[in-house]
């Protein structure tokens, strides 16, 4: 069993804001992340697939094909997007935190990984914060 | 003459959009950067000051003081901000490109550097793009 | 179950030296790391907490709060410190190796993580050496 | 139980090419990686050993000794080498993909790790691709 | 005057070998870099263009256009190539050292930079070696 | 004229402390950097040499030779050392700041660079601070 990871990048805007809450409570909870006019990040997305290397090609999954799947299913939607407004697979009532994004990206990608099995989604939001999801309930 | 550089970071949203232009021309010129709902970046700001090290402290300028000046004069305004809407020292008719930002940050910082002389503003927008300004007309 | 990681940094001095051993044996075992006059490192500390994202905030634990806990309980003690002499939670008879430090930092932080559960302490000593501890006996 | 990782680097040439296949099928499968005249990479190799820190030295395994083992058993063979032609422990009928390399490096290193136990081989081929092997069948 | 830099990457094989010299002299001079079966690197190419930002777009040169020029004129030829054998703009009697490559890449790119002026070619061969060329004779 | 840069690393302890000053003034000036028991850093040293590439070897200076010169003349003295106590070429009355170190390293290296000419010493102390010296009075 070998784990192969492909990294893709995207740049996006977002804010953290619970619409049921007052402005005070939002700012108290989320600080500068609640700026109404948005802020943004350069995100790095690490997608790990596990499986046995094909005896002929030596690939668990062709990294180029994996890159294309990630671009079509995820980056196409998230790159240069507003994560609160623009992305069909992000529910409007969910905060676009790194923690929520890794679960949503897993659900978006998982049906399309047909060689090997999706093992981990890791999303790096800044040099100081990243989240990981392994499909665990 | 020694050059000392301090690095600070901020996260911001922006878009590239010339208000006199049609939507078609904006999209044709700026591509995904013209998304009306914004996108964003993790910016790294490198501020270089040149001068002679003080014979007692060994500092051209105390890096901690330099850090505080950068935070007060620049990061405080740009971090978790919308570069098109929120920043008093970014004129509304100027695109917040990396090239324009380094000049504006220079003008914002230069009067506050009183030990040594400001030498360079470098701003890294993504792993693949950065701009530098040395105060040259 | 999602894993969220926060990174903090500190700079410290240390040496590796077993006081019961002769100078020869210390130098033979630890090489340059046994220099009596100390050496030091820029350490990067990765703290991973696992849990379910809060349905409203989207946080497993607020990364800002996690950052404050790490700073108060760990970085405050280790930054610009001598790891052999200055730190109350490092026993004097334990070498301040990366391996021992991750266990000690786990013990220091674990009681303060009250949202989610502490999952991993990773400490990067140089570009070429890091240690991880998952709370396993 | 603590995990200690040592990183070593090497630069090598390779190509992906199944000799039983036609040139068309090779190029269709491997794209530019099938260039007959080779291409190459800067590889970063992460070797993780797990165990209990020695009560006196604080080492799971002395990182300097681990470095020497990696250099003697792996880097000596792979650095500035052609991975298809020059390396005795890479079978000629196996593609030198990152996935296959981590398994082969595990087998090469494992008998020489006598303090602690080998836990993971991670090989980074580019900023966008890496593979990991944990000794799982 | 602002300087804008775009980074592109490519992976290539090469060797250092003076055909007029004996094998002994080549190995004595170039060490492992003279391995007949080649070795390779992940190269990072930094292209810096200087000029005045356009008052409307804020661009010295559109980074996307600059990226396309670099890909068409340089990366297309060098990526997954053998630098000694495959590249029309590398003379067969010149060693493909980082120093020679920056000059050759400058000559290849310079006629195609029509907004602003080419200022610097920087090529990073490994974490420990890079070369820069500013068009100086 | 081409510029070639070689990077070497070392780990060292230091403190900032003016012996003619009171403890209060030292702490007021240098903050945590004045800790009597020292602190330390992982330093990265960038040495740039300029010259014309040799027509046969393609080298301004053989990077391997340059590496050996840096190791013998600089790293040998600074690695795992105390910069205030252990280094013959650091005067006892000079603070071992990054600014002072680049000048001292220039003086130590310059007489040994006999192919090309020493152009720049850059020393990175942390991710947020570095100094450069170009031999300017």
């Amino acid at each position: 069993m070998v784990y192969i990871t492909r990294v893709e990048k995207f740049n996006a805007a977002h804010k953290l804001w619970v619409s049921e809450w007052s402005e005070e409570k939002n700012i108290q909870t989320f600080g500068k992340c609640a700026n109404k006019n948005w802020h943004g990040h350069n995100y790095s997305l690490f997608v790990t697939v596990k499986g046995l290397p094909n005896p002929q090609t030596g690939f668990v999954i062709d990294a180029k094909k994996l890159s294309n799947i990630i671009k079509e299913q995820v980056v196409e939607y998230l790159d240069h997007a507003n994560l609160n407004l623009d992305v069909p697979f992000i529910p409007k009532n969910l905060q676009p935190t790194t923690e929520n994004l890794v679960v949503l990206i897993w659900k978006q990608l998982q049906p399309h990984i047909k060689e090997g099995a999706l093992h981990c989604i890791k999303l790096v939001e800044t040099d100081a914060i990243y989240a990981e999801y392994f499909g665990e309930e």
Side-chain angles (χ1 to χ4, degrees), chain A residues 8-14 43 45 67-92 96 101 104-109 111-112 123:
Chain A
E8 300 292 341
K9 300 187 176 187
F10 58 92
N11 312 312
H14 77 157
Y43 289 93
L45 174 61
S67 170
N68 288 338
I69 294 169
I70 302 168
K71 284 176 181 159
E72 285 163 20
Q73 303 301 326
V74 178
V75 173
E76 184 69 22
Y77 295 99
L78 301 183
D79 190 31
H80 285 72
N82 183 308
L83 302 180
N84 300 69
L85 301 177
D86 292 340
V87 186
F89 66 81
I90 304 181
K92 292 294 169 287
L101 289 169
L104 295 168
I105 292 170
W106 175 286
K107 289 179 181 162
Q108 183 73 1
L109 270 179
H112 300 277
L123 186 64

Side-chain angles (χ1 to χ4, degrees), chain A residues 113-132:
Chain A
I113 305 297
K114 292 170 176 162
E115 295 164 275
L118 187 57
H119 173 69
C120 181
I121 299 295
K122 175 180 173 181
L123 186 64
V124 180
E125 190 182 84
T126 70
D127 290 350
I129 298 178
Y130 62 83
E132 293 160 296

Side-chain angles (χ1 to χ4, degrees), chain A residues 2 4 7 9 13 16 25 30-31 33 35 41 47 59 63 66 74 81 83 86 92-94 96 105 113 129-130 137:
Chain A
V2 177
I4 182 83
V7 188
K9 300 187 176 187
L16 303 182
K25 185 165 181 188
F30 296 121
C33 297
N35 176 19
H41 298 291
V47 176
F59 290 149
L66 178 55
V74 178
L83 302 180
D86 292 340
K92 292 294 169 287
N93 63 334
L94 263 193
I105 292 170
I113 305 297
I129 298 178
Y130 62 83
E137 295 298 315

